[in-house]
Amino acid sequence: MSPQGARAPDSPGEGPAGPPRDQGARAPDSPGEGPAGPPRDQGAGGPAPAERKNPLTRKASVLVQFLLEKYAAGEPVAHAALLKLVSRKYREHFPEILRLTSERMELVFGLELREADARSQTYVLVSKLALPSDGSLGGGGKGPPKTGLLMALLGVIFMKGNRATEEEVWEFLTVLGVQAGRRHPIFGEPRKLITEDLVRQGYLQYRPVPASDPPRYEFLWGPRAHEQTSKMQVLQVLAKINDTVPRCFPQLYEEALLEEGERAVARGPRRV
């Protein structure tokens, strides 16, 4: 199904705005992690600030949670039930909210919202084959659609200055309907997935914050993430979650372009 609604124009002045936090300089990354990058949050505003400022994306988050519960129960979704969740105040914006919801379900959870019966106005969620069973970013095969969630996680780490505290990661995941201690119908136990499985597979690093008391933990990109994706690809996912375009994150976009250039130099000139 392809809900109606226009995309945000590709202009630097648009997109979600969030109050910058932790603007001070941070410690350099560990060896192999690349440049330290700009200050945390970089004035771009992540999914959580965007949710608070944009009522349509906030309503989309409510629908996402509802649809995930329906998917877990194996139940169809009534159009009337979705309208009721949106409330009368935002009824005229329902097509746009449904578009945002559908995009997020497909992007992060690998689920496509399809119309099941036009007469009864019901929908079903269809799982798409997104990953092989080992959870890698490349290749085909069957398995949980972790790719979208992983790219979103890499995005929030990038947005936070190439390292994100555990608290920041869970705040981000809660917006997407993934909560610590609550089994997810797509990803299973979320804490195990992001602190064990994705760490073991080399996509994330999960380590103590130096000199923190009481002890706190942070996430960084793992070596396999550096090998299989790029900051520009991750920024595209982050922008889509926020219903905007990469250029609306100017500092992140500049850093991603810089990395693209460095990779091009490392590959050497093309042979004719």
Side-chain angles (χ1 to χ4, degrees):
M1 157 173 180
S2 299
Q4 296 178 347
R7 296 290 304 166
D10 191 355
S11 60
E14 296 188 20
R21 300 182 295 134
D22 302 335
Q23 293 295 324
R26 61 181 185 79
D29 290 326
S30 60
E33 286 303 312
R40 299 177 68 79
D41 266 4
Q42 305 182 47
E51 294 290 332
R52 290 192 289 267
K53 285 184 173 292
N54 189 337
L56 301 189
T57 54
R58 190 168 62 245
K59 287 295 181 181
S61 293
V62 173
L63 295 193
V64 165
Q65 188 62 50
F66 176 74
L67 289 173
L68 287 174
E69 291 171 0
K70 288 292 186 180
Y71 178 76
E75 298 174 356
V77 181
H79 182 82
L82 296 176
L83 277 175
K84 186 176 181 180
L85 286 172
V86 166
S87 77
R88 190 182 302 274
K89 181 179 179 180
Y90 297 102
R91 191 68 54 85
E92 64 180 296
H93 300 290
F94 180 75
E96 175 71 1
I97 294 170
L98 188 60
R99 179 186 68 80
L100 294 172
T101 302
S102 298
E103 287 184 352
R104 189 172 292 185
M105 292 296 293
E106 188 166 344
L107 180 69
V108 180
F109 302 109
L111 295 173
E112 183 180 357
L113 186 64
R114 294 181 183 174
E115 189 174 55
D117 189 333
R119 294 180 60 185
S120 62
Q121 291 190 302
T122 56
Y123 306 99
V124 292
L125 288 160
V126 180
S127 180
K128 303 180 74 175
L129 301 181
L131 278 186
S133 58
D134 67 352
S136 64
L137 289 172
K142 297 182 178 181
K146 300 189 188 78
T147 301
L149 180 67
L150 173 57
M151 293 291 278
L153 281 169
L154 296 175
V156 75
I157 293 169
F158 179 29
M159 183 182 68
K160 297 296 182 180
N162 297 312
R163 50 163 46 95
T165 66
E166 188 166 12
E167 293 82 3
E168 289 168 338
V169 166
W170 285 114
E171 179 185 6
F172 172 83
L173 290 177
T174 299
V175 169
L176 298 180
V178 180
Q179 300 176 21
R182 181 174 179 178
R183 186 170 181 82
H184 194 272
I186 307 298
F187 305 119
E189 171 47 50
R191 183 174 295 279
K192 179 178 181 295
L193 172 64
I194 69 171
T195 64
E196 296 181 28
D197 298 344
L198 294 176
V199 172
R200 184 179 65 253
Q201 293 166 7
Y203 290 115
L204 297 177
Q205 290 188 50
Y206 178 62
R207 68 186 192 187
V209 176
S212 59
D213 186 20
R216 297 168 62 222
Y217 286 80
E218 64 183 2
F219 289 90
L220 293 84
W221 284 30
R224 203 171 177 190
H226 284 287
E227 292 171 4
Q228 295 190 10
T229 190
S230 69
K231 290 180 178 179
M232 186 60 76
Q233 290 174 322
V234 166
L235 181 58
Q236 289 169 350
V237 173
L238 185 65
K240 196 166 186 179
I241 288 174
N242 280 280
D243 193 38
T244 185
V245 292
R247 290 178 185 271
C248 292
F249 300 84
Q251 290 178 282
L252 297 178
Y253 188 69
E254 183 179 349
E255 185 178 344
L257 283 177
L258 180 63
E259 185 194 61
E260 297 278 290
E262 291 172 346
R263 290 189 175 198
V265 170
R267 287 194 298 267
R270 293 183 178 180
R271 296 182 178 179
V272 180

